[in-house]
Amino acid sequence: MTSVPRHHPRFRYALLKVEMTLLRALISIFMAITSPKRRPRAPADERTTYPSASRPQRVDIYLPESSSSSPNSNSSSSKPPPTLLPIHISIHGSGFSIPSHGTDVEFCRYLSDTTPCAVLDIDHRHGPEDPYPAALEDIVSAVRWAESIADSRNWDASRISIGGFSSGGALALIASGAMPELYGRFKAVVAFYPSTNLAQEPGDKPKPKPKKGAVGGVVPVSIRRFFYNCYLVAGQDRADPRVSPIYADPRRFPGSVTIVTCGSDSLLKEARELGEILRGVGKDVVEFEARGQGHAWDLAVKERESEAGVLRDQAYELAARRVREAFGIGEGGWG
């Protein structure tokens, strides 16, 4: 394989950096104005860092109510769990470029409480400052860190799942099926509206529109192209399985694969295609489509009783059930 630089050329990086700084500011303002005002879920039980190649990265740890494996826990009602807690690694969506760690608090809290398991919501490096493969290197570091501290936390390092949202879903799929360093590590992967084919030009992807009354959106072609260009240096093979999981050896993925898609999302088709490939080699693939909803619809739900809210709850419930099954945990919890 032809070697490509790990960083953008200086002049190109300067341009990408200026444009990304402006885009990040605009997205931050937009999210502050449009994000639904909901009763916040309980925050992470612990906020710490894990060691990575260049600098420590943030990780929020969520623990079920009856667990006291956080060293910061001081609740008199806490009690040790009756068995070791499995581990789920969660990766936020970011277009590979937007620092949005912590946006999946509702899912992380729900999964931890209902599985039950320790959920590690990890941050990672982003482009254009740290393009491919920096994020993947961080994920490897996070998994190894979790395994190294499992005994001291009363966690089960033999039962680990991984998942993510949007670009985080892509990274989770890659980590579970395209990285020799992590082969065989995961019992399951759960990917929400993932990009699976970065080799396909964004302008060639479908261009659906969310139905009336739906939430979420469609990432504009120009923005998606910009994200890809920030994440991948010029000359990088975009059909590399560590970039586009649809080209990975399907036999390498975990036995349990759950893919959640949005009915009016330009990434719907490629996610379905990956699911079909995995079924073809006997993987247990379950798909859930949030019909009519746009990309990242679950983060835009304003009313739980709305159609979008019901679909979000159904998707989260499915994800938790699939993770429980992969861990060998019954409906009552504590496998």
Side-chain angles (χ1 to χ4, degrees):
M1 185 180 298
T2 303
S3 177
V4 296
R6 284 184 58 95
H7 299 284
H8 297 289
R10 184 174 299 177
F11 181 70
R12 177 174 173 78
Y13 169 71
L15 291 177
L16 292 173
K17 176 67 172 178
V18 169
E19 293 174 354
M20 179 53 71
T21 299
L22 292 173
L23 181 60
R24 287 169 176 165
L26 290 173
I27 290 176
S28 179
I29 294 171
F30 176 80
M31 294 299 293
I33 295 173
T34 63
S35 292
K37 302 297 189 294
R38 298 189 299 265
R39 183 175 61 85
R41 285 272 187 172
D45 295 282
E46 180 183 354
R47 289 182 170 171
T48 184
T49 60
Y50 67 90
S52 76
S54 68
R55 58 186 180 272
Q57 298 293 322
R58 295 177 299 174
V59 54
D60 288 351
I61 301 175
Y62 296 80
L63 301 167
E65 282 188 36
S66 57
S67 169
S68 61
S69 59
S70 166
N72 298 328
S73 176
N74 56 12
S75 172
S76 59
S77 62
S78 295
K79 60 182 179 180
T83 188
L84 299 178
L85 281 176
I87 303 166
H88 179 81
I89 308 291
S90 184
I91 310 168
H92 65 277
S94 66
F96 305 101
S97 303
I98 305 298
S100 52
H101 176 248
T103 53
D104 305 309
V105 57
E106 291 199 44
F107 175 78
C108 292
R109 172 55 61 199
Y110 175 81
L111 185 66
S112 176
D113 287 343
T114 59
T115 301
C117 65
V119 175
L120 279 55
D121 184 21
I122 65 169
D123 202 359
H124 58 76
R125 287 171 287 171
H126 306 86
E129 297 86 356
D130 296 286
Y132 167 90
L136 292 173
E137 292 172 345
D138 289 345
I139 293 168
V140 172
S141 296
V143 174
R144 290 174 175 169
W145 172 76
E147 291 174 330
S148 72
I149 67 170
D151 285 346
S152 65
R153 296 298 190 98
N154 211 32
W155 298 346
D156 187 350
S158 70
R159 291 189 293 173
I160 304 178
S161 62
I162 192 167
F165 298 77
S166 193
S167 61
L171 293 170
L173 288 165
I174 293 165
S176 71
M179 300 184 68
E181 308 96 310
L182 297 177
Y183 283 164
R185 284 297 219 293
F186 304 110
K187 297 294 185 183
V189 58
V190 180
F192 281 75
Y193 35 86
S195 48
T196 67
N197 188 1
L198 277 68
Q200 183 183 38
E201 217 289 321
D204 295 333
K205 297 182 187 293
K207 302 175 183 64
K209 294 182 179 180
K211 70 177 186 179
K212 184 177 180 181
V215 298
V218 176
V219 178
V221 170
S222 59
I223 298 298
R224 187 175 301 283
R225 187 180 294 122
F226 180 57
F227 283 154
Y228 289 1
N229 289 339
C230 286
Y231 178 57
L232 302 168
V233 300
Q236 172 62 49
D237 179 10
R238 298 190 177 195
D240 185 327
R242 291 163 68 107
V243 173
S244 299
I246 200 167
Y247 298 108
D249 182 347
R251 297 169 296 180
R252 294 292 189 179
F253 286 81
S256 174
V257 179
T258 305
I259 301 176
V260 176
T261 57
C262 312
S264 297
D265 185 4
S266 59
L267 301 179
L268 170 64
K269 184 174 182 291
E270 61 195 70
R272 282 179 170 173
E273 289 172 350
L274 176 59
E276 286 302 311
I277 291 171
L278 296 177
R279 284 193 191 91
V281 296
K283 299 298 180 181
D284 177 16
V285 179
V286 170
E287 295 180 43
F288 177 93
E289 179 185 331
R291 295 188 179 277
Q293 306 301 314
H295 190 74
W297 100 98
D298 58 313
L299 299 181
V301 171
K302 295 183 178 180
E303 297 180 6
R304 184 172 183 178
E305 296 75 17
S306 66
E307 181 180 2
V310 170
L311 288 169
R312 181 197 60 189
D313 289 352
Q314 291 174 346
Y316 286 8
E317 288 167 6
L318 171 65
R321 176 172 61 80
R322 294 281 290 168
V323 169
R324 278 198 303 271
E325 291 172 350
F327 287 154
I329 299 174
E331 287 296 327
W334 304 114

